[in-house]
Amino acid sequence: MNTEKNTDRNAVRNTEPAWLLVTRREVVSRITDKSFLIGTLLMVVMIVGFLGFTAWQDEKTETATLGATPDAVAMATAIADNASQVDDRLEVEVVELADDTAAETALRDDEVDAWLHPGDDGWQLTSESSEQESLTDAAQVVVRQQVLADNAAGAGTTVDALEAGSSVSTNFLRGDAEKAAVAEVVGFAFVFLFYFAALIFGMQLASSVIEEKQSRIVEIIAAAIPLRHLLAGKVLGNTALAVIQLLVYLVVGLVGMSFTSYKSYLPALSGPTAWFIGFFLAGFVALACLWAVAGSLASRTEDLQATSTPLTMLMLVMFFGGLSLDGRAQVIASFIPPVSAVVMPKRILAGGVEWWEPLVALGLLAAFAAVTVWVGEKLYRRALLQTGGRVSLRQAWSAAE
């Protein structure tokens, strides 16, 4: 009975495509690897820690003690009453001091953060050794308002009349300042996650190719399955792992963001995030195939640095281009593969992108991935079984099938 069951299992396995067997082997071997699990967990902890710190900062209230001598108590009280209108996370407590000597002593003993007193031309805020930025900003605004109100009353007019036509407002063609800041941070996360995944999984893919080639195991594998199936299984397996890891990071990040003051932007981020996953998939497949070629060109682990240098430089161009490009250069780069894999999602985040632009960019990236896979498959097959030293691209391309 058991023999019949084992025979049935073997029959099922034998009917599976070779590339699927390789894919399953890649996924299982990596997903059960402690280093992979620990690395993923550490990244999750970093994301949670960053979002937790952000949430804590949002709720954090700064308390400042403001010392005032008798001639400044009224102005200090006005600052304490109106400081929250300037900075809603600032609370000011007034400490009345007998005279200037008492004020200086209180500063040296850290009993107060700053001392407010009349100056030669207005008011002066004195601190012990460093400026209290939040308190200074609030004091400047409130003192200006109070002095303007007193001067206006003395002139028989109002502050509104004096300030009529003097205000300068800001506006953005796309959204507001806070939304632009959120888009910038999330855009950086998109670029970093793509670079991180492509580099880590790419190096591991190339290293596994070198190990199989150096140990001559690949010759045994080549006798059992076509090399294109081996390449497809490696690329698909690592792509599946990278996407799984990416989804974990995105879910943790979006869930964590719901506990911060930026949770109102979550609905607006769902569309760009979906686009990013699509661009990530197409771009990663192309780069993974190139990493496999870099591994096949090397005969020893020491050769990988040389064979992967062009690919590493390409990834650095993508990383810094994704972060620094703006304006017309960003628009042009968003249609050029493989840079478009990181630039177009950033443009979608910022807004103002026509509905057809992501579709065209993704189509071009998918076409680039298809060409890369076709060329990479030929280079991989022709270089993988060549031993005796590093293989150049020209030698791999001109080698016999």
Side-chain angles (χ1 to χ4, degrees):
M1 191 72 177
N2 291 331
T3 304
E4 293 179 358
K5 289 183 178 181
N6 292 333
T7 303
D8 293 339
R9 287 197 193 100
N10 292 332
V12 172
R13 287 181 180 178
N14 292 333
T15 60
E16 289 182 337
W19 61 265
L20 185 58
L21 293 174
V22 178
T23 301
R24 184 185 296 114
R25 185 195 66 174
E26 291 288 322
V27 172
V28 172
S29 63
R30 292 288 299 131
I31 211 167
T32 56
D33 183 47
K34 288 184 178 180
S35 61
F36 174 80
L37 297 176
I38 292 174
T40 303
L41 181 61
L42 287 177
M43 181 63 76
V44 169
V45 170
M46 290 175 59
I47 295 173
V48 172
F50 172 76
L51 292 171
F53 177 77
T54 302
W56 175 70
Q57 283 289 97
D58 291 340
E59 298 178 358
K60 182 182 177 182
T61 300
E62 180 181 355
T63 302
T65 53
L66 179 61
T69 45
D71 53 355
V73 171
M75 184 61 77
T77 302
I79 293 174
D81 293 340
N82 297 282
S84 60
Q85 299 178 10
V86 181
D87 187 346
D88 58 2
R89 291 182 291 182
L90 176 64
E91 294 181 359
V92 178
E93 177 185 348
V94 177
V95 177
E96 296 186 23
L97 304 169
D99 51 32
D100 292 358
T101 302
E104 292 176 0
T105 302
L107 281 174
R108 292 192 182 97
D109 295 341
D110 290 330
E111 295 177 0
V112 297
D113 295 314
W115 163 37
L116 181 71
H117 56 97
D120 296 334
D121 184 20
W123 293 86
Q124 186 170 342
L125 197 64
T126 302
S127 55
E128 201 275 326
S129 60
S130 60
E131 182 177 340
Q132 307 294 319
E133 294 183 1
S134 300
L135 180 58
T136 300
D137 293 341
Q140 288 174 340
V141 173
V142 175
V143 167
R144 180 179 181 277
Q145 292 175 344
Q146 290 294 117
V147 172
L148 274 176
D150 294 341
N151 292 343
T157 184
T158 63
V159 175
D160 292 338
L162 289 175
E163 294 184 337
S166 65
S167 63
V168 177
S169 60
T170 59
N171 191 22
F172 291 82
L173 290 178
R174 298 192 296 265
D176 53 31
E178 188 176 55
K179 180 181 178 181
V182 172
E184 191 68 24
V185 172
V186 176
F188 172 81
F190 282 175
V191 175
F192 176 78
L193 287 175
F194 186 95
Y195 175 79
F196 178 79
L199 183 63
I200 296 300
F201 283 97
M203 289 294 292
Q204 292 172 351
L205 174 57
S207 296
S208 69
V209 172
I210 295 175
E211 289 174 4
E212 292 175 351
K213 182 176 181 179
Q214 192 172 7
S215 63
R216 312 299 288 267
I217 293 177
V218 69
E219 298 176 9
I220 301 175
I221 298 176
I225 63 174
L227 289 180
R228 60 171 54 92
H229 283 238
L230 177 61
L231 174 63
K234 284 184 172 293
V235 171
L236 291 176
N238 282 273
T239 300
L241 287 167
V243 171
I244 291 172
Q245 195 177 67
L246 174 70
L247 291 176
V248 170
Y249 296 155
L250 290 176
V251 169
V252 171
L254 293 176
V255 171
M257 191 174 176
S258 66
F259 293 95
T260 69
S261 59
Y262 304 107
K263 59 184 177 182
S264 59
Y265 295 105
L266 283 176
L269 291 176
S270 58
T273 301
W275 277 111
F276 171 65
I277 295 173
F279 278 91
F280 177 91
L281 185 60
F284 186 89
V285 168
L287 292 178
C289 190
L290 293 179
W291 277 110
V293 171
S296 67
L297 294 175
S299 294
R300 302 175 305 160
T301 304
E302 293 80 2
D303 297 333
L304 181 59
Q305 183 176 0
T307 59
S308 65
T309 294
L311 187 53
T312 304
M313 296 300 297
L314 173 62
M315 291 183 58
L316 286 175
V317 169
M318 293 177 63
F319 180 73
F320 289 108
L323 295 181
S324 61
L325 290 177
D326 57 8
R328 186 175 297 276
Q330 186 185 58
V331 174
I332 295 173
S334 66
F335 292 98
I336 301 177
V339 183
S340 57
V342 293
V343 177
M344 182 55 80
K346 279 197 67 178
R347 285 192 61 209
I348 297 173
L349 274 170
V353 177
E354 298 294 335
W355 64 269
W356 54 268
E357 292 185 63
L359 293 175
V360 172
L362 185 58
L364 292 174
L365 183 60
F368 171 80
V371 172
T372 303
V373 169
W374 179 73
V375 174
E377 183 263 343
K378 290 185 177 296
L379 292 172
Y380 176 83
R381 285 190 295 108
R382 295 173 180 181
L384 190 61
L385 297 180
Q386 294 191 41
T387 58
R390 193 170 70 234
V391 183
S392 67
L393 287 173
R394 179 178 296 179
Q395 290 172 333
W397 187 258
S398 59
E401 291 286 347

